Amino acid sequence: MIKNKITYAGQTILTIYHNGFDNAINQRKTKIREKIGRFNIIFEEETVSDHEVSALCNTLLVKEGFLVPNHEYNPYSESGCAHLTHYINFDKPNKIFKILESEYIVSIPITDFQKINLFVKKYTGLNIEKNPILYGDILVYNYFKFSFEPNESNGIVFENIASDSTLVIKFKKESLIVFSKITYFESSVSKFEVNSPSNWNSFDLEIYMNDELYFLQENISYMRSIQLKFRQEKTIAKVRINQLSEHLEMKGLSTEHVTQIGEPNDEVEEVEEVLVKSNLNIRKKILKEQEKENLIFITPGELEKAIQIIIEFLQVPSDEVWIFDPYFTDKNGLKKAVDWLRILSHCRIQNKKIVFYCKNPENAYDHVTIIEELKLDPILNELIKSQKLLAIEFIEVKSPIHDRFIISRTKDEFSGITIGTSLNSMDRNHFCINRLNHSAAKKITTELIKWIESGNVIGINRI
């Protein structure tokens, strides 16, 4: 039996016994020391007698149970099952815990506690961060591993099956069981094969020995072929801007490359793959509609954060983008408005529309004077010369639309964000950016366009 012991600041904080590795490891003794915070943490591993475990009888509570692969108590992850005997110690290590109002709390800096958790996981395999109250306890594992692998006959080959064993296998295609078989072995067998008459992509396996569960694992699968896709980004464009930041980097266009490894799927499997992919994307869309935690709070010192959120949204290729910002053409924010137009000129958006309001020509530009003023900017003027048009349309309306919206449309898919301040005053205010799902973005766009087209346009101009 293998014993792992973790000590911190001279106190044992965790003891783990592993049964089932004796033949592989034999006699050995290991000691690893690191410093965490003010104290040393030590991992010790050695081979011990089974009698050491049988002497554990001074704890208040003992729990036993079977662990499947990837169970949070299973230190062997996917590699096998285990039977756990858990000796619970209610007197937790005082080097890392203290009692406050009848409850254990961490008594050391949380960063040091996290480092201890990582140390334990690294050397024992136990992800104790999920259950830190295990510190102070003794865990005894009986490890079970079973050998099997796929064959070329659409099945699985098993090796070294012990006598008085029962094997239960269920082959599955997605969530449907397409073939199952139960086999009892009165005597030991060195090799056994189970083949499915139907195609499958995963299977569940149960093995019983002497009428007790010995191995259980679900959704076991193998990679038969893979298609690797990667995008190659072109050179990042640096956008010269005035006041939003020193400069911004915009992603370039990308090209997709595909590499096929293994035999490609047949036509039926390709159709099924399309259905599965479609189902996944529909589920994603439903979940996207249900998202609630979409609000981001911005403070005056977080201008860069706000800019990146908006640019990330604008850089998604789309057919059309509407920007509703009543004060976009205010004269005291012109330089920032020019920065946003420079950014928009590098986005893959076919049509860009900016809806604004001009209450007083002395303080803001109207749909005519804004174009004249923008042509004085050397960067925009150079872009106009090279591209003829920036595909930006300015729509001046009769009354302000109070909230600020940026809404994107590609065919009949809508998305959007709301911004609690004008794009040219984000450095001066506390505000929120809220992401809009498809339904909300579509409704807002439909209603605002309907209002605009109901006689509320003063004039339209393009650049």
Side-chain angles (χ1 to χ4, degrees):
M1 183 171 288
I2 304 301
K3 178 182 179 181
N4 293 161
K5 184 172 74 171
I6 305 286
T7 57
Y8 181 69
Q11 184 180 44
T12 300
I13 60 173
L14 185 66
T15 304
I16 299 176
Y17 292 91
H18 304 272
N19 192 18
F21 296 94
D22 301 47
N23 295 332
I25 294 179
N26 297 320
Q27 295 294 324
R28 78 172 182 184
K29 196 164 187 178
T30 303
K31 190 171 186 178
I32 298 171
R33 183 193 309 265
E34 292 182 13
K35 189 166 186 180
I36 296 178
R38 296 188 298 122
F39 303 105
N40 287 327
I41 187 167
I42 300 171
F43 166 78
E44 295 178 87
E45 182 173 80
E46 60 179 332
T47 306
V48 298
S49 168
D50 294 355
H51 298 297
E52 183 170 320
V53 174
S54 61
L56 300 173
C57 57
N58 58 345
T59 53
L60 296 176
L61 181 63
V62 178
K63 288 186 177 180
E64 293 187 64
F66 183 83
L67 303 178
V68 297
N70 289 322
H71 188 282
E72 59 188 26
Y73 278 27
N74 190 339
Y76 314 116
S77 187
E78 296 181 352
S79 65
C81 301
H83 179 275
L84 169 65
T85 304
H86 182 189
Y87 296 84
I88 300 173
N89 187 357
F90 291 96
D91 187 15
K92 296 300 176 182
N94 58 20
K95 296 296 184 181
I96 56 175
F97 292 118
K98 66 180 179 181
I99 297 177
L100 180 66
E101 297 179 356
S102 302
E103 182 179 329
Y104 279 108
I105 64 170
V106 177
S107 62
I108 61 175
I110 195 65
T111 53
D112 290 348
F113 189 70
Q114 289 173 317
K115 290 177 182 177
I116 292 173
N117 294 339
L118 290 173
F119 183 90
V120 170
K121 184 178 181 181
K122 180 178 179 180
Y123 292 107
T124 71
L126 178 64
N127 188 6
I128 199 166
E129 193 161 84
K130 293 184 177 180
N131 296 281
I133 206 63
L134 291 177
Y135 282 118
D137 295 353
I138 298 172
L139 307 174
V140 181
Y141 293 97
N142 283 299
Y143 175 67
F144 306 133
K145 187 176 181 179
F146 201 71
S147 298
F148 52 86
E149 62 182 7
N151 61 17
E152 295 181 357
S153 304
N154 203 38
I156 301 295
V157 179
F158 300 92
E159 295 181 352
N160 301 321
I161 302 176
S163 60
D164 196 18
S165 298
T166 302
L167 185 149
V168 181
I169 187 168
K170 302 171 187 175
F171 291 97
K172 299 190 297 185
K173 185 73 172 180
E174 311 311 335
S175 59
L176 298 176
I177 298 174
V178 295
F179 180 72
S180 62
K181 188 171 185 177
I182 302 175
T183 307
Y184 172 71
F185 299 89
E186 187 175 350
S187 56
S188 61
V189 175
S190 60
K191 196 171 186 179
F192 179 72
E193 232 177 69
V194 181
N195 296 317
S196 171
S198 303
N199 287 333
W200 54 274
N201 51 27
S202 68
F203 64 95
D204 300 341
L205 181 62
E206 298 175 41
I207 299 171
Y208 298 84
M209 291 180 62
N210 303 317
D211 293 329
E212 290 189 7
L213 185 61
Y214 177 81
F215 186 92
L216 171 62
Q217 191 168 356
E218 297 178 332
N219 299 318
I220 307 168
S221 60
Y222 299 98
M223 187 180 297
R224 298 177 179 177
S225 68
I226 185 171
Q227 198 175 66
L228 299 178
K229 293 185 179 181
F230 67 93
R231 291 187 177 273
Q232 184 176 0
E233 298 286 348
K234 291 188 177 180
T235 305
I236 294 174
K238 291 188 177 181
V239 183
R240 289 173 56 193
I241 54 180
N242 294 308
Q243 293 188 350
L244 290 177
S245 180
E246 292 182 3
H247 73 275
L248 287 175
E249 292 185 344
M250 306 287 288
K251 292 180 180 178
L253 296 172
S254 62
T255 55
E256 185 174 88
H257 302 270
V258 179
T259 301
Q260 176 72 40
I261 300 174
E263 292 295 325
N265 294 334
D266 59 30
E267 291 184 7
V268 175
E269 288 182 327
E270 285 182 0
V271 172
E272 290 179 339
E273 187 177 321
V274 169
L275 295 176
V276 171
K277 184 178 179 180
S278 302
N279 185 57
L280 179 63
N281 287 334
I282 292 169
R283 289 172 60 182
K284 283 182 179 178
K285 189 172 181 180
I286 293 170
L287 289 173
K288 193 174 180 181
E289 288 293 302
Q290 296 172 344
E291 287 178 355
K292 296 180 180 179
E293 300 299 328
N294 286 325
L295 188 141
I296 304 162
F297 183 66
I298 305 293
T299 65
E302 295 183 311
L303 176 61
E304 290 288 340
K305 177 181 176 182
I307 291 171
Q308 289 304 319
I309 292 169
I310 297 170
I311 287 178
E312 183 180 334
F313 176 80
L314 290 173
Q315 281 206 282
V316 177
S318 62
D319 295 340
E320 187 176 71
V321 163
W322 287 78
I323 298 176
F324 299 91
D325 186 343
Y327 307 117
F328 187 83
T329 65
D330 278 15
K331 292 182 178 180
N332 60 2
L334 179 66
K335 288 186 177 181
K336 295 187 180 70
V338 169
D339 286 345
W340 282 112
L341 294 176
R342 291 179 182 178
I343 291 167
L344 277 170
S345 69
H346 285 81
C347 295
R348 289 174 285 173
I349 304 166
Q350 292 184 22
N351 295 296
K352 314 169 189 83
K353 302 176 186 290
I354 300 174
V355 181
F356 70 99
Y357 171 68
C358 175
K359 181 179 181 181
N360 186 346
E362 294 183 3
N363 299 325
Y365 297 100
D366 60 25
H367 68 282
V368 176
T369 56
I370 185 62
I371 303 299
E372 296 171 354
E373 191 66 29
L374 292 176
K375 287 180 178 179
L376 298 176
D377 178 72
I379 304 297
L380 290 179
N381 192 41
E382 188 66 30
L383 289 168
I384 293 169
K385 287 180 180 178
S386 62
Q387 301 179 21
K388 294 184 180 179
L389 283 175
L390 300 180
I392 300 175
E393 190 174 281
F394 287 85
I395 304 172
E396 183 183 350
V397 292
K398 294 180 179 179
S399 59
I401 298 170
H402 183 271
D403 286 3
R404 288 79 171 171
F405 304 99
I406 302 179
I407 297 176
S408 171
R409 179 190 64 79
T410 300
K411 295 181 180 178
D412 194 40
E413 291 292 323
F414 289 78
S415 62
I417 54 176
T418 64
I419 306 169
T421 188
S422 180
L423 288 171
N424 55 31
S425 63
M426 293 194 304
D427 57 335
R428 302 194 299 269
N429 297 317
H430 291 83
F431 63 95
C432 290
I433 297 176
N434 189 33
R435 295 188 177 94
L436 301 171
N437 60 26
H438 165 79
S439 299
K442 184 175 182 179
K443 179 176 176 59
I444 291 168
T445 309
T446 303
E447 292 296 326
L448 289 179
I449 291 176
K450 182 179 178 181
W451 175 82
I452 289 170
E453 293 176 346
S454 299
N456 288 296
V457 176
I458 292 177
I460 299 175
N461 214 338
R462 295 172 180 82
I463 187 170

